[in-house]
């Protein structure tokens, strides 16, 4: 393995994370929060000028602190963002959680063309995607000024370094505008949205290495030979990072939200459009399903029962040891933030079911925790995961009680991966032999077979309740 010094930049929806690697060895990391704005109408956005200013500041600080000669800068960004560029400057960056298109896309889902869009792009029909945002803008909120370019976070950062709007196939494949079979913008979809391909970025593969403008290298104190690796999307790279560390093709991420992802050598679509399938590299795809209701559920429960968002985590051990699987018949459907996979419906609601006077606070808490993980199991079955072991990562799994409970409910041995950041996945795009040359770092959590059996009936009850809810309300 060639020992390059690589700076990976991961621009998510909450923070910019910088990881500096010498070969596969992490030698420095920084994290800086990004401000997100929300409005009562469902608008959720960031300001591009603020983001670029933060990025510039932290890059200068990193260079001053590390004094390293950087060979490559590699990019990871969140998916599903949309930013209009006018002659007068930038608009706002609408991020994935912007909900303004929810009603528009709910109507569109009922059309025949919606199935075709999914078949072409592998992007589920949901308000998160740039497709949905563009449709909403076209039908209900056209801009008074002509839009010169439609870009997202990746193109914004690429332009900062190269002076051009450039987008990788991976991030493009989550826009709903990109035909992931032909690896190009889809003209039929663009015509439907009244978008011209000249308004969109130049497309390149995820391993494309690009020159950085001289004035940018000088301003940041970079070496004259420093180049830019365009990279991929954060979710796809996190899946690759888990594989490179554990050797497992399936990963489960559980932070504030969550996702089940599997690496596949072929493009796999769900016949009912319930999963995503995004390009990562040649002959490598990431298929899966995300949830809105990960650790956010636990924070909500903690606020509900303890008046703050963290006390619950200190009490989890006692709660789980004093209650039994299934929470004495109490069930929680965790859809308090609407839901993505497998329903893709922002209007679905959460609920407790089976409440009696005998239920205690601890059982309400256990039911909520179980509901969050049972939902992941439902997504896992939708994605058709048959592996006996899965890689797990994310902030929720810092709590030992939750790692064991997850193994028991999923019915799988879990490898808690230390290398799960998109930055490590970027190294994998750069170095094809990274898996054999890096040192694995993970903890094995063995499922308890007796508990697995107990949770089989709990899960069947959960699935029955979800199907009943869908039939009655959706």
């Amino acid at each position: 393995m060639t020992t390059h010094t690589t700076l990976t930049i991961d621009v998510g929806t909450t923070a910019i994370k910088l990881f500096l690697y010498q070969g596969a060895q992490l030698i420095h990391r920084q994290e800086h929060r990004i401000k997100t704005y929300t409005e009562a109408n469902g608008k959720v956005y960031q300001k591009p000028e603020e983001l670029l200013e933060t990025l510039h500041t932290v890059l200068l600080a990193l260079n001053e602190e590390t004094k390293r000669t950087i060979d490559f800068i590699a990019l990871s960004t969140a998916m599903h963002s949309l930013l209009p560029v006018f002659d007068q400057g930038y608009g706002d960056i609408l991020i994935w959680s912007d909900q303004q298109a929810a009603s528009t896309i709910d109507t569109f889902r009922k059309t025949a063309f919606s199935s075709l869009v999914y078949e072409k792009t592998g992007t589920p029909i949901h308000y998160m995607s740039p497709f949905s945002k563009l449709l909403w803008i076209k039908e209900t909120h056209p801009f008074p000024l002509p839009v010169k370019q439609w870009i997202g976070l990746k193109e914004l950062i690429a332009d900062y370094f190269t002076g051009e709007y450039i987008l990788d196939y991976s991030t493009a494949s989550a826009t709903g505008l990109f035909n992931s079979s032909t690896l190009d913008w889809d003209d039929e979809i663009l015509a439907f949205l009244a978008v011209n391909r000249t308004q969109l970025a130049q497309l390149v593969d995820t391993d494309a290495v690009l020159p950085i403008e001289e004035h940018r290298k000088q301003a940041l104190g970079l070496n004259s030979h420093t180049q830019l690796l365009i990279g991929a999307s954060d979710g796809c790279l996190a899946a690759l990072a888990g594989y490179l560390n554990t050797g497992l093709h399936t990963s489960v991420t559980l932070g504030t939200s969550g996702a089940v992802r599997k690496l596949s050598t072929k493009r796999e679509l769900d016949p009912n459009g319930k999963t995503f399938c995004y390009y990562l590299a040649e002959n490598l795809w990431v298929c899966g399903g995300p949830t809105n209701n990960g650790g956010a559920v636990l924070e909500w429960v903690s606020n509900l029962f303890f008046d703050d968002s963290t006390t619950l985590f200190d009490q989890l051990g006692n709660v789980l040891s004093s209650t039994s699987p299934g929470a004495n018949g109490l069930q929680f459907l965790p859809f308090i933030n609407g839901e993505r996979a497998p329903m893709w419906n922002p209007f679905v609601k959460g609920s407790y079911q089976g409440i009696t006077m005998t239920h205690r606070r601890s059982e309400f808490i256990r039911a909520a925790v179980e509901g969050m993980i049972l939902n992941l199991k439902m997504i896992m079955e939708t994605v058709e995961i048959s592996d006996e072991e899965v890689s797990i990562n994310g902030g929720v799994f810092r709590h030992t009680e939750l790692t064991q409970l997850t193994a028991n409910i999923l019915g799988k041995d879990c490898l808690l991966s230390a290398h799960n950041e998109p930055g490590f996945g970027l190294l994998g795009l750069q170095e094809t032999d990274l898996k054999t040359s890096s040192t694995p770092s993970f903890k094995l959590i063995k499922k308890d077979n007796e508990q697995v059996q107990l949770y089989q009936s709990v899960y069947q009850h959960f699935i029955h309740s979800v199907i009943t809810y869908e039939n009655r309300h959706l």
Side-chain angles (χ1 to χ4, degrees):
M1 177 178 176
T2 306
T3 307
H4 295 301
T5 300
T6 302
L7 172 64
T8 67
I9 301 175
D10 176 24
V11 182
T13 54
T14 60
I16 297 175
K17 299 178 181 178
L18 306 180
F19 295 84
L20 189 62
Y21 292 92
Q22 187 74 48
Q25 182 66 38
L26 179 64
I27 57 177
H28 184 81
R29 65 178 292 171
Q30 292 183 13
E31 181 172 334
H32 305 268
R33 304 294 291 179
I34 304 172
K35 186 172 183 180
T36 297
Y37 300 84
T38 59
E39 296 182 2
N41 63 354
K43 183 177 181 180
V44 185
Y45 64 101
Q46 294 166 343
K47 296 182 178 180
E49 297 85 0
E50 290 182 359
L51 191 149
L52 290 176
E53 182 180 354
T54 299
L55 176 63
H56 188 79
T57 301
V58 299
L59 288 173
L60 286 174
L62 178 134
N63 188 45
E64 180 65 26
E65 186 173 347
T66 62
K67 305 291 187 184
R68 293 272 183 165
T69 298
I70 296 171
D71 298 304
F72 292 96
I73 294 175
L75 299 183
S76 162
T77 57
M79 294 177 277
H80 312 308
S81 58
L82 182 68
L83 168 61
V85 183
F86 306 100
D87 283 332
Q88 296 81 0
Y90 295 120
D92 295 323
I93 306 170
L94 300 179
I95 61 176
W96 77 266
S97 52
D98 176 83
Q99 300 179 32
Q100 294 175 101
S103 294
T104 298
I105 208 65
D106 187 52
T107 300
F108 175 73
R109 281 172 63 92
K110 301 176 177 67
T111 69
F113 191 58
S114 69
S115 297
L116 183 61
V117 170
Y118 174 73
E119 289 167 10
K120 287 187 170 196
T121 68
T123 304
I125 307 302
H126 185 264
Y127 66 71
M128 67 183 182
S129 73
F131 171 91
S132 302
K133 295 171 172 62
L134 285 166
L135 181 61
W136 170 75
I137 290 168
K138 172 194 167 188
E139 293 189 351
T140 66
H141 284 73
F143 289 111
L145 298 173
V147 176
K148 184 178 179 180
Q149 298 278 158
W150 291 108
I151 64 172
L153 283 170
K154 177 61 75 71
E155 300 98 302
L156 180 69
I157 306 303
D159 177 65
Y160 169 83
F161 284 107
T162 69
E164 296 184 76
Y165 295 128
I166 299 173
L167 184 61
D168 62 88
Y169 294 159
S170 175
T171 310
S173 71
T175 62
L177 313 176
F178 176 83
N179 189 315
S180 55
S181 294
T182 64
L183 301 183
D184 194 8
W185 299 120
D186 189 277
D187 288 323
E188 185 178 10
I189 294 174
L190 297 187
F192 175 77
L193 296 171
V195 171
N196 193 306
R197 66 166 52 228
T198 60
Q199 294 176 285
L200 302 177
Q202 173 189 344
L203 294 167
V204 297
D205 210 339
T206 53
D207 60 355
V209 176
L210 309 168
I212 297 173
E213 289 190 301
E214 289 300 322
H215 77 89
R216 186 63 67 199
K217 287 190 284 191
Q218 292 175 13
L220 295 174
L222 299 174
N223 193 284
S224 60
H225 69 257
T226 306
Q227 295 177 288
L228 183 75
L229 175 70
I230 192 66
S233 68
D234 56 357
C236 289
L237 289 166
L240 179 59
Y243 167 73
L244 292 171
N245 184 45
T246 65
L248 301 179
H249 290 84
T250 301
S251 61
V252 177
T253 299
L254 196 56
T256 302
S257 56
V260 175
R261 305 182 182 98
K262 71 172 180 180
L263 291 176
S264 174
T265 57
K266 61 182 181 180
R267 187 174 181 265
E268 299 180 25
L269 299 182
D270 181 81
N272 298 308
K274 292 186 176 184
T275 62
F276 61 71
C277 184
Y278 299 141
Y279 178 94
L280 176 55
E282 186 176 3
N283 298 319
L284 191 59
W285 303 81
V286 177
C287 310
T291 173
N292 294 346
N293 300 292
V297 170
L298 304 184
E299 292 179 3
W300 174 77
V301 170
S302 187
N303 279 311
L304 190 65
F305 291 110
F306 301 106
D307 292 327
D308 68 70
S309 62
T310 60
T311 299
L312 167 69
F313 298 97
D314 297 328
Q315 301 294 323
L316 266 178
N318 292 333
V319 166
L320 295 177
S321 64
S322 64
T323 54
S324 58
N328 191 22
L330 184 60
Q331 186 180 75
F332 182 67
L333 301 185
F335 313 122
I336 58 175
N337 292 307
E339 190 52 295
R340 286 182 283 172
M343 300 175 184
W344 299 102
N345 193 313
F347 306 112
V348 64
K349 307 297 182 185
S351 63
Y352 277 102
Q353 299 187 6
I355 302 172
T356 71
M357 289 184 63
T358 64
H359 286 120
R360 299 165 291 153
R361 177 174 67 174
S362 57
E363 288 165 333
F364 276 89
I365 294 172
R366 184 182 190 108
V369 175
E370 289 180 341
M372 175 188 69
I373 304 173
L374 289 165
N375 188 42
L376 284 174
K377 183 176 177 69
M378 180 174 66
I379 295 171
M380 185 173 286
E381 293 201 345
T382 305
V383 182
E384 298 183 349
I385 302 299
S386 58
D387 301 350
E388 291 300 315
E389 295 181 322
V390 298
S391 168
I392 62 174
N393 61 77
V396 168
F397 294 126
R398 290 195 301 264
H399 306 279
T400 304
E401 299 90 351
L402 291 176
T403 60
Q404 186 60 61
L405 187 62
T406 298
N408 295 343
I409 292 179
L410 297 184
K412 298 182 183 296
D413 293 337
C414 296
L415 273 63
L416 181 59
S417 176
H419 295 310
N420 55 71
E421 294 286 352
F424 194 73
L426 283 166
L427 298 185
L429 289 180
Q430 188 182 42
E431 299 285 354
T432 56
D433 61 345
L434 181 66
K435 185 177 183 295
T436 57
S437 61
S438 60
T439 303
S441 178
F442 55 80
K443 177 183 177 182
L444 173 64
I445 297 95
K446 297 283 291 182
K447 65 181 183 287
D448 182 320
N449 288 321
E450 183 177 338
Q451 294 281 304
V452 170
Q453 290 300 315
L454 289 173
Y455 274 113
Q456 288 294 339
S457 60
V458 175
Y459 176 64
Q460 293 306 317
H461 184 209
F462 177 84
I463 290 296
H464 175 75
S465 297
V466 171
I467 293 172
T468 300
Y469 178 92
E470 287 184 294
N471 290 337
R472 288 179 178 173
H473 301 288
L474 301 182

